[in-house]
Amino acid sequence: MKNNDISPPPRSLRTHIYEIIFESDTAAGRNFDVALFLFIIISIVVVLFESVETYRIEYQVFFRTVEWILTIIFLIEYILRLYSVRKPLHYALSFYGIIDLLAILPSFLAFFVAAGQSLIVIRALRLLRVFRIFKLGSFMAQGNVIMESINQSKGKIAVFLYFIVILVLIIGSMMYVIEGGRNESFDSIPTSIYWAIVTLTTVGYGDITPSTNIGKFMSAVVMILGYAVIAVPTGIVSASMINQSRKVNGQACPHCGKEGHDNDASFCKHCGGGL
Amino acid sequence: MKNNDISPPPRSLRTHIYEIIFESDTAAGRNFDVALFLFIIISIVVVLFESVETYRIEYQVFFRTVEWILTIIFLIEYILRLYSVRKPLHYALSFYGIIDLLAILPSFLAFFVAAGQSLIVIRALRLLRVFRIFKLGSFMAQGNVIMESINQSKGKIAVFLYFIVILVLIIGSMMYVIEGGRNESFDSIPTSIYWAIVTLTTVGYGDITPSTNIGKFMSAVVMILGYAVIAVPTGIVSASMINQSRKVNGQACPHCGKEGHDNDASFCKHCGGGL
Amino acid sequence: MKNNDISPPPRSLRTHIYEIIFESDTAAGRNFDVALFLFIIISIVVVLFESVETYRIEYQVFFRTVEWILTIIFLIEYILRLYSVRKPLHYALSFYGIIDLLAILPSFLAFFVAAGQSLIVIRALRLLRVFRIFKLGSFMAQGNVIMESINQSKGKIAVFLYFIVILVLIIGSMMYVIEGGRNESFDSIPTSIYWAIVTLTTVGYGDITPSTNIGKFMSAVVMILGYAVIAVPTGIVSASMINQSRKVNGQACPHCGKEGHDNDASFCKHCGGGL
Amino acid sequence: MKNNDISPPPRSLRTHIYEIIFESDTAAGRNFDVALFLFIIISIVVVLFESVETYRIEYQVFFRTVEWILTIIFLIEYILRLYSVRKPLHYALSFYGIIDLLAILPSFLAFFVAAGQSLIVIRALRLLRVFRIFKLGSFMAQGNVIMESINQSKGKIAVFLYFIVILVLIIGSMMYVIEGGRNESFDSIPTSIYWAIVTLTTVGYGDITPSTNIGKFMSAVVMILGYAVIAVPTGIVSASMINQSRKVNGQACPHCGKEGHDNDASFCKHCGGGL
């Protein structure tokens, strides 16, 4: 039995509940996950429909009933999680612990804030937990490869964003100087920066467009710049994904058991033993 | 004679028809493919023009006549396919068998449903079958490399889409809380989600745009996020395409057994032996 | 003296003209190239300004004069090219020969067709010829790497476009069935296909947008599809560019002199000799 | 003591000032950098808010006061930099020297030009200097990898842009010939070129859209072309980033001399010797 931080208490009712709620290798555990998945989906669908005015007026009572039933179910589940886990505080402060709590709060919040129950959609984050019900074994591994690649290129992407922010500040101000006064859309620097981001990311809503000739010329330069700029994050992620896929192909070293060797390696890079 | 599932019956009229319709190594077979290609193209062009009101009114009779002639030709072809193939049911339930049937139905459907014949465009899928008439030998192989790459990264793309759906649900709801009430465009969460997808994919129609300052700020964050996000599928496909192109080129050296040779290599780059 | 197809005639006036016009290793040849570059730029700038109504009315005579002077210069140049080259017909039918001719015709065309002189912009293609005036030696080599990469992936891109055309036909028709009648913008299948292309390529003008709920849902699916689809050509070009850059790093074989070896090659792949 | 161009004068008050202002390995130096970072951020935030009309009217005096205080601080800093550095002229003409000066000028410019103080945003460029306050050691290295990749592909990107300019000139003129006269938006070739850039880069504002059928067809072709074209810079940057990441990881094995080891390798993967 592994003994990690969120490990089960000695065999008992608590252990049993733990196995059902936190794990998915028993039949009950799997059924629990599937049920949870369905409850989350129903919960989200209800919120989506409730936000549409025609449905809200007609089915208000029905929507609210379903919402409260599901909120109570999730509340009970949360309490059971706190009860069954060995270190409740540790769980409560973990990533999933916080999400589990956030998923319950919006229903109560709705008493005070108008559009409060819209935040119920935060339950979508819980879908990350029941990911495992899709039996695809490699599904999880694939997700890890993506995560690892993004993680690896985190630093480069942060630097890239730092440059983008500086770039967008300067382009925005220049366009404000050029278009401001002549074009009502560019009425302040923040708006111009918003325009610069819309343009540089190639989203291009068209709610703010240059009207002067020099403004159009500047825009064209920004767009072509955006061309080169969009290549950078793609290049970063591609490069780290290729490195990643190279490592994934590797085999375990027969001497030290470590993985992650290149395809053309003849010796283990960790212990120097032959592969 | 190969003996695969859709193999021809013993040499006879049926065999002859089979060779013409299903294969393309005889002159008749090739001519049949080219004729089929032309009939599909004509059929699609007619539907496209018929959907334009001015043409529809003027040439209605001509369009319908051509459509029915082609439908009858395709019907006869379908019957001949069923007749000539050894396992008709197997064919009828195969991917191409279903498309061949779907290509005939819309004309009859038009008796009941108004825009029914628009579905005739489904015949475009039949173009996949007559692909081979473009004599480019490698054309097919190239298609396979792409297919293989996509196939290989299927898992990663599925995981990616799962995340995108969760992301879009949450962004959409947040924008509904921020803009809803103050901006008529964001009138429900589904609409906000539609906006989130339009923005994150950098399509940016501009039919729905934020009007509040905090909404514009959120949009800018979403766009810059979209920047990083668009890098992920590109990275996935690039990585698997590079792996693919490496494999496609490779063949093991008969002397040292090592792989990874270029397509134009005559000698092994590792041991110098002839390939 | 190299003896390729467009080789110079025996040393004489013709040879001299040939060296100036076609080559750029003499001082006169270089000056000719720079002058040609400037003439082309002036010519294009004049056409751009002439197309703006306020300038056209005011400076008509000036623009036309410059245009005709430049057209006559290009005409003389074209005649000298024909005169000095050894195989005039061969030159006249080559890529650059045709462009050189096309660059002269629009001025005469303007007698017959209204916006004829707009086509003068075709002179921009001549800029490809004077590329070499930018002394960057590697500039040319870099262009070749790009060209080679695109050339290498030509087949894959053709297959990709074939699929895109089929995809866009089907999406367009589906949207016509869904939105047509309920939304004036989707008034015919060709228009719907135009919308599908605008959406799938993430251009997103917003001149045509879905108005029904099911149409918006379909659009969202198309956009997310476009996400994955845009990754394919990028992956293709990236992969071939990486292969290209690997080859570029290679050294010449000391035995057969051929290049293009991989970095890890110990033996020449063409003749099998040690590197 | 390193003796590079912007090296400190002999130990004295000047040396002390130099260490605080130019370096960041002393506590005072680090504090100076953090203070500078905050001043720049405040300065930018003030300019952003001042450009919004409602704030400008209400807080004019406050904004101007803050602006002048900061300008004076930056002026003093600039003078101290000139004083403490060994070669003032060399510093004044360096990249950062010019930015430091440009960061002060706009406040004075505002006496003469209306929107002058908007240019204060140029101070954002100074953020590049205080980059180092983010203690992430690898942060800087990551930035260098990106820079190096872009630098390496500079030539290819220049060639690419040269082609894009030619392409856009020709597409723009063609659309002017097709749409001009029939569509008010395409009123001149420069406007058409602006449209071509908006379309090819997939920004797609929608302020200018084709209205004729042939124009829509042309647009569709341009968009699909843009699909392939956007793949080129991405491919370029990806390829050089992969090469870069390979090099960064590599160090030659002291035993067999082979390169290409991973960062975490302790033993050579080719011969098994310790690194």
Side-chain angles (χ1 to χ4, degrees):
Chain A
M1 189 186 284
K2 281 190 294 149
N3 214 336
N4 53 11
D5 274 356
I6 313 183
S7 61
R11 188 93 208 154
S12 69
L13 179 64
R14 274 176 71 195
T15 319
H16 200 66
I17 293 173
Y18 180 88
E19 274 177 0
I20 291 172
I21 298 188
F22 279 95
E23 294 181 353
S24 62
D25 31 19
T26 61
R30 278 197 55 76
N31 291 341
F32 177 84
D33 276 2
V34 173
L36 195 57
F37 179 76
L38 292 177
F39 286 155
I40 296 168
I41 296 293
I42 292 168
S43 171
I44 290 168
V45 169
V46 165
V47 176
L48 295 198
F49 275 97
E50 200 190 346
S51 75
V52 182
E53 201 161 20
T54 48
Y55 295 116
R56 183 166 53 237
I57 292 165
E58 211 165 337
Y59 303 106
Q60 177 108 40
V61 180
F62 172 71
F63 288 148
R64 284 294 159 97
T65 315
V66 174
E67 245 172 72
W68 276 109
I69 292 170
L70 289 171
T71 301
I72 289 163
I73 291 174
F74 289 145
L75 183 60
I76 293 169
E77 183 216 337
Y78 185 67
I79 292 167
L80 286 178
R81 278 183 194 272
L82 280 176
Y83 165 74
S84 71
V85 91
R86 197 174 266 179
K87 300 184 176 176
L89 195 71
H90 193 97
Y91 158 70
L93 296 176
S94 71
F95 175 68
Y96 282 123
I98 291 166
I99 286 172
D100 291 347
L101 183 61
L102 284 177
I104 304 164
L105 293 183
S107 302
F108 298 94
L109 201 76
F111 288 119
F112 312 103
V113 186
Q117 76 272 19
S118 303
L119 295 171
I120 284 177
V121 177
I122 216 161
R123 280 175 191 168
L125 280 177
R126 300 200 72 199
L127 290 174
L128 290 175
R129 191 197 267 284
V130 289
F131 204 34
R132 57 191 173 196
I133 66 166
F134 301 102
K135 259 175 296 185
L136 308 154
S138 67
F139 212 62
M140 219 69 194
Q142 304 285 22
N144 285 342
V145 172
I146 296 178
M147 275 305 183
E148 196 55 43
S149 297
I150 291 171
N151 214 32
Q152 222 180 73
S153 36
K154 213 172 46 188
K156 286 200 201 73
I157 286 173
V159 173
F160 173 73
L161 290 183
Y162 194 84
F163 280 101
I164 289 294
V165 168
I166 293 175
L167 194 66
V168 147
L169 276 169
I170 289 168
I171 291 171
S173 316
M174 281 173 70
M175 279 304 278
Y176 174 67
V177 175
I178 292 169
E179 292 274 325
R182 256 142 286 163
N183 184 341
E184 281 197 354
S185 306
F186 290 84
D187 61 353
S188 70
I189 297 183
T191 309
S192 295
I193 291 171
Y194 167 72
W195 168 87
I197 294 172
V198 168
T199 302
L200 205 66
T201 56
T202 78
V203 169
Y205 283 141
D207 52 347
I208 306 174
T209 52
S211 62
T212 65
N213 286 333
I214 191 161
K216 281 180 181 174
F217 180 76
M218 265 291 295
S219 306
V221 172
V222 171
M223 284 169 215
I224 288 181
L225 196 68
Y227 232 18
V229 165
I230 210 166
V232 173
T234 310
I236 294 170
V237 176
S238 292
S240 88
M241 228 150 221
I242 288 162
N243 286 341
Q244 206 60 23
S245 76
R246 233 184 255 152
K247 293 236 181 70
V248 165
N249 294 336
Q251 67 203 102
C253 166
H255 303 284
C256 69
K258 285 193 183 159
E259 296 184 11
H261 304 294
D262 291 347
N263 280 330
D264 62 343
S266 311
F267 292 90
C268 173
K269 66 184 181 180
H270 300 292
C271 72
L275 291 177
Chain B
M1 190 186 283
K2 281 190 295 150
N3 214 336
N4 54 11
D5 274 356
I6 314 184
S7 62
R11 189 92 209 154
S12 68
L13 178 66
R14 274 176 72 193
T15 318
H16 200 66
I17 293 173
Y18 181 88
E19 274 176 0
I20 292 172
I21 299 188
F22 278 95
E23 293 180 355
S24 63
D25 30 20
T26 60
R30 277 198 58 76
N31 290 341
F32 177 84
D33 276 4
V34 173
L36 195 57
F37 180 76
L38 292 176
F39 285 154
I40 296 168
I41 296 293
I42 292 169
S43 171
I44 291 168
V45 168
V46 165
V47 175
L48 295 197
F49 275 97
E50 200 189 345
S51 75
V52 182
E53 201 161 21
T54 48
Y55 295 116
R56 184 167 50 238
I57 292 164
E58 212 166 336
Y59 304 105
Q60 177 107 39
V61 179
F62 172 71
F63 288 148
R64 285 295 160 96
T65 313
V66 174
E67 245 172 72
W68 275 108
I69 291 171
L70 289 171
T71 301
I72 287 165
I73 291 174
F74 289 145
L75 182 61
I76 292 170
E77 182 216 339
Y78 185 66
I79 292 168
L80 285 179
R81 278 183 194 272
L82 281 176
Y83 166 72
S84 71
V85 90
R86 197 173 267 179
K87 298 184 176 177
L89 195 70
H90 194 98
Y91 157 71
L93 296 176
S94 71
F95 176 66
Y96 283 122
I98 289 165
I99 286 172
D100 291 347
L101 184 61
L102 284 177
I104 304 165
L105 293 183
S107 302
F108 297 95
L109 202 75
F111 288 120
F112 313 103
V113 185
Q117 75 272 21
S118 303
L119 296 171
I120 283 177
V121 177
I122 216 161
R123 282 176 189 167
L125 280 176
R126 301 200 70 198
L127 290 174
L128 291 175
R129 190 197 268 282
V130 288
F131 206 34
R132 57 191 174 196
I133 66 166
F134 301 103
K135 260 175 295 185
L136 310 154
S138 66
F139 213 63
M140 219 71 197
Q142 304 285 23
N144 285 341
V145 172
I146 295 178
M147 275 304 183
E148 196 54 44
S149 297
I150 291 171
N151 213 32
Q152 220 180 77
S153 35
K154 213 171 44 187
K156 286 200 200 73
I157 286 174
V159 174
F160 174 72
L161 290 183
Y162 194 85
F163 280 101
I164 289 296
V165 168
I166 293 174
L167 194 66
V168 147
L169 276 169
I170 289 168
I171 292 172
S173 315
M174 282 174 70
M175 279 303 278
Y176 175 68
V177 174
I178 293 169
E179 292 274 324
R182 256 142 284 163
N183 183 342
E184 282 198 355
S185 305
F186 290 84
D187 61 353
S188 70
I189 297 183
T191 309
S192 295
I193 291 171
Y194 167 73
W195 168 87
I197 294 173
V198 168
T199 302
L200 205 67
T201 55
T202 78
V203 169
Y205 283 141
D207 52 348
I208 305 173
T209 53
S211 61
T212 65
N213 286 333
I214 190 162
K216 281 180 181 174
F217 180 75
M218 264 291 294
S219 304
V221 172
V222 171
M223 283 170 216
I224 288 180
L225 195 69
Y227 232 18
V229 165
I230 209 168
V232 173
T234 310
I236 293 170
V237 176
S238 292
S240 89
M241 229 150 219
I242 288 161
N243 286 341
Q244 205 59 23
S245 76
R246 239 181 249 155
K247 280 207 201 100
V248 164
N249 296 337
Q251 84 188 88
C253 167
H255 303 285
C256 69
K258 285 192 181 160
E259 296 184 13
H261 304 293
D262 292 345
N263 279 330
D264 61 344
S266 312
F267 292 91
C268 173
K269 66 183 182 181
H270 300 292
C271 71
L275 291 175
Chain C
M1 189 188 280
K2 280 190 295 149
N3 214 333
N4 53 12
D5 274 355
I6 313 184
S7 61
R11 188 95 210 150
S12 68
L13 179 67
R14 276 175 70 193
T15 317
H16 199 67
I17 293 172
Y18 180 89
E19 275 177 0
I20 294 172
I21 299 188
F22 278 96
E23 293 180 355
S24 64
D25 30 22
T26 61
R30 277 197 57 76
N31 291 341
F32 177 84
D33 276 3
V34 173
L36 195 58
F37 180 75
L38 292 177
F39 286 154
I40 295 168
I41 296 293
I42 292 168
S43 170
I44 290 168
V45 168
V46 165
V47 175
L48 295 198
F49 276 97
E50 200 189 346
S51 76
V52 182
E53 200 161 21
T54 48
Y55 295 116
R56 183 167 52 236
I57 292 164
E58 212 165 335
Y59 303 106
Q60 175 109 40
V61 180
F62 172 71
F63 287 149
R64 283 295 159 95
T65 314
V66 174
E67 244 172 72
W68 275 108
I69 292 170
L70 289 172
T71 301
I72 287 163
I73 291 173
F74 289 145
L75 182 60
I76 293 169
E77 183 216 338
Y78 184 66
I79 292 167
L80 286 179
R81 279 184 194 272
L82 281 177
Y83 165 73
S84 71
V85 91
R86 197 175 266 180
K87 298 185 177 177
L89 194 71
H90 193 97
Y91 157 71
L93 296 176
S94 72
F95 175 66
Y96 282 123
I98 290 165
I99 286 172
D100 291 348
L101 184 61
L102 285 177
I104 305 165
L105 293 184
S107 302
F108 298 95
L109 201 75
F111 288 120
F112 312 103
V113 186
Q117 75 272 21
S118 303
L119 296 171
I120 283 177
V121 177
I122 216 162
R123 281 174 190 168
L125 280 176
R126 301 201 70 199
L127 290 173
L128 291 175
R129 190 198 267 284
V130 289
F131 205 33
R132 58 191 173 194
I133 66 167
F134 301 103
K135 259 175 297 185
L136 309 156
S138 66
F139 212 62
M140 216 72 195
Q142 304 284 23
N144 285 341
V145 172
I146 296 178
M147 275 304 182
E148 196 56 42
S149 298
I150 292 172
N151 213 31
Q152 223 179 76
S153 35
K154 213 172 43 187
K156 286 202 201 70
I157 287 174
V159 173
F160 174 71
L161 290 183
Y162 194 85
F163 279 101
I164 289 295
V165 167
I166 293 175
L167 194 65
V168 147
L169 276 169
I170 289 168
I171 293 171
S173 315
M174 282 174 69
M175 279 303 277
Y176 175 68
V177 174
I178 293 169
E179 291 274 325
R182 257 141 284 164
N183 183 342
E184 281 198 356
S185 304
F186 291 83
D187 61 353
S188 69
I189 297 182
T191 309
S192 296
I193 291 172
Y194 167 74
W195 168 87
I197 294 173
V198 168
T199 302
L200 204 67
T201 56
T202 78
V203 169
Y205 284 139
D207 52 348
I208 306 174
T209 52
S211 62
T212 65
N213 286 332
I214 190 161
K216 282 179 180 174
F217 180 75
M218 264 291 294
S219 304
V221 172
V222 171
M223 284 168 214
I224 288 180
L225 194 69
Y227 233 18
V229 165
I230 210 166
V232 173
T234 310
I236 293 171
V237 176
S238 292
S240 88
M241 231 151 217
I242 287 160
N243 285 341
Q244 206 60 24
S245 75
R246 232 184 257 152
K247 293 236 180 71
V248 165
N249 294 337
Q251 67 202 104
C253 167
H255 303 285
C256 69
K258 287 196 181 156
E259 297 185 9
H261 303 294
D262 290 348
N263 280 331
D264 63 343
S266 311
F267 293 91
C268 172
K269 68 182 179 181
H270 300 292
C271 70
L275 291 176
Chain D
M1 189 186 283
K2 279 190 297 147
N3 213 335
N4 54 11
D5 276 354
I6 313 185
S7 61
R11 187 95 208 149
S12 68
L13 178 66
R14 275 177 69 194
T15 318
H16 199 66
I17 294 173
Y18 180 89
E19 273 177 0
I20 292 171
I21 298 188
F22 279 95
E23 292 181 353
S24 63
D25 31 20
T26 62
R30 275 198 57 77
N31 292 340
F32 177 84
D33 276 2
V34 173
L36 194 58
F37 179 76
L38 292 177
F39 286 154
I40 296 168
I41 295 294
I42 292 168
S43 171
I44 290 168
V45 169
V46 166
V47 175
L48 294 198
F49 275 97
E50 199 190 347
S51 76
V52 182
E53 200 160 21
T54 48
Y55 295 116
R56 184 167 51 237
I57 292 163
E58 211 165 339
Y59 304 106
Q60 176 109 40
V61 180
F62 171 72
F63 288 148
R64 282 296 158 95
T65 314
V66 174
E67 244 172 72
W68 276 109
I69 291 170
L70 288 172
T71 301
I72 288 163
I73 291 174
F74 289 146
L75 182 61
I76 293 169
E77 183 217 337
Y78 184 66
I79 292 167
L80 285 177
R81 278 184 194 271
L82 280 177
Y83 166 74
S84 72
V85 91
R86 196 174 266 179
K87 299 184 177 176
L89 193 71
H90 193 97
Y91 157 70
L93 297 175
S94 71
F95 175 68
Y96 282 123
I98 290 166
I99 286 172
D100 291 348
L101 183 62
L102 284 177
I104 305 165
L105 293 184
S107 302
F108 298 93
L109 201 76
F111 288 119
F112 312 103
V113 186
Q117 75 273 19
S118 303
L119 295 171
I120 283 176
V121 178
I122 215 161
R123 281 173 190 168
L125 280 177
R126 301 200 71 200
L127 290 173
L128 291 175
R129 191 197 267 284
V130 289
F131 204 33
R132 56 191 173 196
I133 66 168
F134 300 103
K135 258 174 299 186
L136 308 155
S138 66
F139 212 61
M140 217 71 194
Q142 304 285 23
N144 285 341
V145 172
I146 295 178
M147 275 303 182
E148 196 55 44
S149 296
I150 291 171
N151 214 31
Q152 222 180 74
S153 35
K154 215 172 43 188
K156 285 201 202 70
I157 286 173
V159 173
F160 174 72
L161 290 183
Y162 193 85
F163 279 100
I164 289 295
V165 168
I166 293 175
L167 195 64
V168 147
L169 277 169
I170 289 167
I171 292 171
S173 315
M174 281 173 70
M175 279 303 276
Y176 174 67
V177 174
I178 293 169
E179 290 274 325
R182 257 142 285 164
N183 183 342
E184 280 197 354
S185 305
F186 290 83
D187 61 353
S188 69
I189 297 183
T191 309
S192 296
I193 291 171
Y194 167 73
W195 168 87
I197 294 172
V198 168
T199 302
L200 205 66
T201 56
T202 77
V203 169
Y205 284 141
D207 52 348
I208 306 174
T209 52
S211 62
T212 65
N213 287 332
I214 190 160
K216 281 180 181 173
F217 180 76
M218 264 293 294
S219 305
V221 172
V222 171
M223 283 168 213
I224 288 181
L225 195 68
Y227 232 18
V229 165
I230 211 165
V232 173
T234 310
I236 293 170
V237 176
S238 292
S240 89
M241 229 149 218
I242 288 161
N243 286 341
Q244 205 60 22
S245 76
R246 237 183 252 154
K247 280 209 200 95
V248 164
N249 296 338
Q251 86 188 87
C253 167
H255 303 285
C256 70
K258 286 194 181 159
E259 297 186 10
H261 304 294
D262 291 346
N263 279 332
D264 63 344
S266 313
F267 293 90
C268 173
K269 67 181 179 180
H270 300 292
C271 71
L275 291 177

